[in-house]
Amino acid sequence: MNHWNKRFQTENYVYGKEPNVFLTELQKEIYISGDALAIAEGEGRNAVYLAEQGMKVTAWDYAESGLVKTNKLAEERGVTVTTELVDLNHVSWRESKWNEIICVFGHFPTELRQRTLQGVKKAVKPGGYFLTEVYSPYQIPYKSGGPKEQDFLYKPEEFLETFADWRIIHFFMGEVARHEGELHNGLAHVIQFAGKKPEEQQ
């Protein structure tokens, strides 16, 4: 049993049931519809929110217990989310598959993180979006959650270089207050990125 599968085997939602604040703020601005993918989605709070906005949503996680809670939350809210047990180490990214991909506090070792960002870039449809809020390298002294190893924390240049040919709608690195369940609570140091993939050339 992996660490996350064990962590999510509780009645309560350890990151809460409400969506990430950054996601809700940006979602109101982009007015996007279609197919959305939430990667490393945990217990489903963000995927369910996207479904409530009318999107057709798939949630990936490699903790089966998290996916069970995703389905339970979707049922509570009267929406449907497709859940798939996915290890990002072994995923095959399909070209131009999704109108939107989100990643909220999904943290991986550097090599997998960079492969995942390249996969996201490939898999977003032309005109589609990638939205993410993650912890920066400066998060470790903060007591508000997240990995305690530098190797699992995102660097700003990873977004700015990987998506240099996209339209960057929003980029921020700095302090925010987050109150997301029992595990993300208080002042944090984050990176926020929202990018739009260029439309195909005619």
Side-chain angles (χ1 to χ4, degrees):
M1 181 183 296
N2 70 56
H3 163 74
W4 291 106
N5 200 40
K6 186 174 181 180
R7 172 166 282 185
F8 295 145
Q9 285 187 333
T10 59
E11 282 297 315
N12 66 310
Y13 282 67
V14 297
Y15 295 111
K17 293 183 176 182
E18 298 308 310
N20 173 260
V21 171
F22 170 69
L23 173 63
T24 62
E25 290 173 349
L26 263 292
Q27 204 70 22
K28 290 171 187 173
E29 294 183 16
I30 63 177
Y31 302 109
I32 192 170
S33 60
D35 296 322
L37 172 67
I39 64 172
E41 175 52 11
E43 301 163 302
R45 61 196 178 101
N46 301 300
V48 168
Y49 169 76
L50 292 180
E52 289 176 317
Q53 308 315 302
M55 300 198 77
K56 183 179 178 183
V57 186
T58 298
W60 284 358
D61 205 275
Y62 85 139
E64 190 169 1
S65 59
L67 297 177
V68 169
K69 290 167 88 171
T70 298
N71 286 321
K72 182 180 176 183
L73 183 58
E75 187 176 352
E76 281 181 16
R77 299 284 174 84
V79 295
T80 301
V81 173
T82 300
T83 53
E84 297 180 359
L85 189 65
V86 172
D87 183 341
L88 291 172
N89 282 291
H90 307 297
V91 71
S92 177
W93 294 92
R94 291 177 57 186
E95 184 91 36
S96 300
K97 166 71 175 170
W98 307 98
N99 297 99
E100 180 178 6
I101 296 179
I102 68 164
C103 177
V104 177
F105 297 118
H107 289 264
F108 331 107
T110 300
E111 183 182 351
L112 175 58
R113 185 170 68 247
Q114 293 175 352
R115 286 207 316 271
T116 299
L117 291 176
Q118 290 294 340
V120 166
K121 185 177 184 180
K122 174 182 177 181
V124 171
K125 293 180 181 179
Y129 293 83
F130 174 45
L131 272 59
T132 183
E133 180 174 83
V134 289
Y135 289 118
S136 84
Y138 301 103
Q139 171 63 13
I140 289 177
Y142 293 74
K143 306 300 183 185
S144 51
K148 298 306 179 188
E149 301 172 42
Q150 282 288 341
D151 188 44
F152 282 76
L153 297 169
Y154 288 76
K155 302 173 183 64
E157 59 267 23
E158 291 177 310
F159 296 105
L160 298 175
E161 293 174 2
T162 302
F163 299 96
D165 55 342
W166 283 32
R167 178 184 166 201
I168 298 178
I169 296 168
H170 175 94
F171 181 84
F172 169 81
M173 182 170 76
E175 290 187 337
V176 298
R178 288 289 174 260
H179 301 286
E180 302 177 331
E182 63 192 62
L183 296 183
H184 284 173
N185 228 312
L187 195 65
H189 206 283
V190 304
I191 295 173
Q192 300 168 345
F193 174 86
K196 182 178 183 181
K197 190 172 187 174
E199 301 278 359
E200 289 180 323
Q201 298 296 319
Q202 298 297 319

